[in-house]
Amino acid sequence: MSILEIEGLTFSYSKKEEPVLNDFSMSIEKGEVVGILGRSGSGKSTLLRLISGLEMPSKGTIKVAGTTVVSDRIYLHPENRGVGMVFQDYALFPHMTVKNNILFGLSRLPRNERNQRVGEMLELVKLESFENRYPHELSGGQQQRVALARALAPKPSILLMDEPFSNLDADLKESIREELGVILNKANMTCILVTHDRNDAEAICDRSLMLGLNIINE
Ligand code: ATP
Ligand code: MG
């Protein structure tokens, strides 16, 4: 059974325009890390928003772990999909510390495991000494790393990442990318990574797909 099955997804932002996605299908196996490439405006962010439940398609079905989350009759609330997302225009909760931003999604975890999980995530994004800072005290790249930690912390069954490294310098990006690859592997987590950078895709993805052209590269 595929962990994610998308069939015949069609979506447009307005009736007057061509659909952004037209009869789009793909399926992903558990533990796969799949890259999504494609020119600006090709629908990469839109696809992630449809999977996570922030937009509703006009046609098509989406199944997560065998459960239909979207069809012509079903629309499962984003919170109940087991899908985590790092947005392209990620935003942190401004009145919460870094630590509390990451703790936010962990209410289902036993209390004694929460702090440990936050520690692991801070280590991943190299912000161990920043846990009590507020978002406005962080640089853009530091904020982006907190957003990544926050999405990964609950270990969602599918993690969707939209350009999660766009504000990081080359060295930091390379090391976070590498450690993220290890964490995803260890947790056998399924992940979709939207990126403009082929090197990102080559570094951590098992395969990549080009939106807009329907070319699949192994
Ligand atoms: P980028 O690489 O620049 O992030 P993308 O592949 O993520 O691009 P999308 O954001 O999915 O592209 O946008 C796909 C198309 O839908 C674009 O033509 C865009 O202008 C349009 N679009 C995106 N969001 C909206 C919206 N809220 N309302 C109307 N049109 C939108
Ligand atoms: Mg986008």
Side-chain angles (χ1 to χ4, degrees):
M1 183 184 67
S2 304
I3 184 121
L4 178 70
E5 285 177 80
I6 295 178
E7 248 182 62
L9 209 59
T10 299
F11 174 82
S12 12
Y13 285 100
S14 86
K15 291 209 171 89
K16 281 177 249 148
E17 284 172 43
E18 288 284 292
V20 177
L21 293 169
N22 198 354
D23 201 17
F24 176 84
S25 301
M26 75 170 183
S27 73
I28 297 184
E29 301 305 309
K30 178 153 176 49
E32 261 193 313
V33 179
V34 176
I36 297 200
L37 301 158
R39 62 182 171 70
S40 180
S42 58
K44 304 180 295 297
S45 298
T46 303
L47 175 62
L48 297 194
R49 288 201 288 269
L50 285 160
I51 298 169
S52 63
L54 300 173
E55 301 284 359
M56 186 144 69
S58 54
K59 262 196 226 145
T61 57
I62 302 176
K63 290 183 186 173
V64 174
T67 299
T68 302
V69 301
V70 172
S71 71
D72 52 4
R73 297 178 180 186
I74 294 173
Y75 187 75
L76 198 66
H77 192 275
E79 269 181 26
N80 300 325
R81 294 190 183 194
V83 173
M85 183 152 174
V86 185
F87 296 97
Q88 190 168 18
D89 53 355
Y90 58 88
L92 302 176
F93 304 116
H95 303 297
M96 290 185 193
T97 60
V98 165
K99 182 177 177 179
N100 286 335
N101 262 278
I102 299 172
L103 272 173
F104 187 79
L106 299 183
S107 57
R108 290 182 189 168
L109 212 62
R111 194 176 289 269
N112 58 350
E113 286 178 34
R114 287 182 208 159
N115 284 335
Q116 189 190 338
R117 185 67 61 81
V118 172
E120 281 170 34
M121 292 301 123
L122 286 171
E123 198 180 326
L124 163 72
V125 297
K126 305 187 192 323
L127 290 174
E128 292 98 322
S129 55
F130 288 77
E131 66 171 28
N132 294 320
R133 298 260 197 119
Y134 286 87
H136 72 267
E137 298 167 329
L138 304 177
S139 72
Q142 288 166 345
Q143 290 182 30
Q144 190 169 33
R145 281 139 72 195
V146 178
L148 177 61
R150 183 176 63 184
L152 193 62
K155 304 212 169 142
S157 63
I158 303 175
L159 177 66
L160 309 176
M161 300 191 288
D162 200 348
E163 299 279 0
F165 314 125
S166 56
N167 287 325
L168 308 184
D169 67 66
D171 287 348
L172 189 60
K173 168 165 149 164
E174 202 171 312
S175 70
I176 289 182
R177 205 170 61 187
E178 194 174 304
E179 286 169 43
L180 179 66
V182 172
I183 286 182
L184 295 177
N185 240 323
K186 227 170 148 180
N188 198 27
M189 201 183 285
T190 311
C191 177
I192 299 180
L193 172 71
V194 164
T195 176
H196 279 112
D197 184 347
R198 281 189 168 275
N199 293 326
D200 288 347
E202 275 164 23
I204 64 170
C205 296
D206 302 312
R207 63 183 164 103
S208 296
L209 178 155
M210 181 79 81
L211 265 199
L213 293 169
N214 292 326
I215 298 171
I216 295 174
N217 306 306
E218 287 305 320

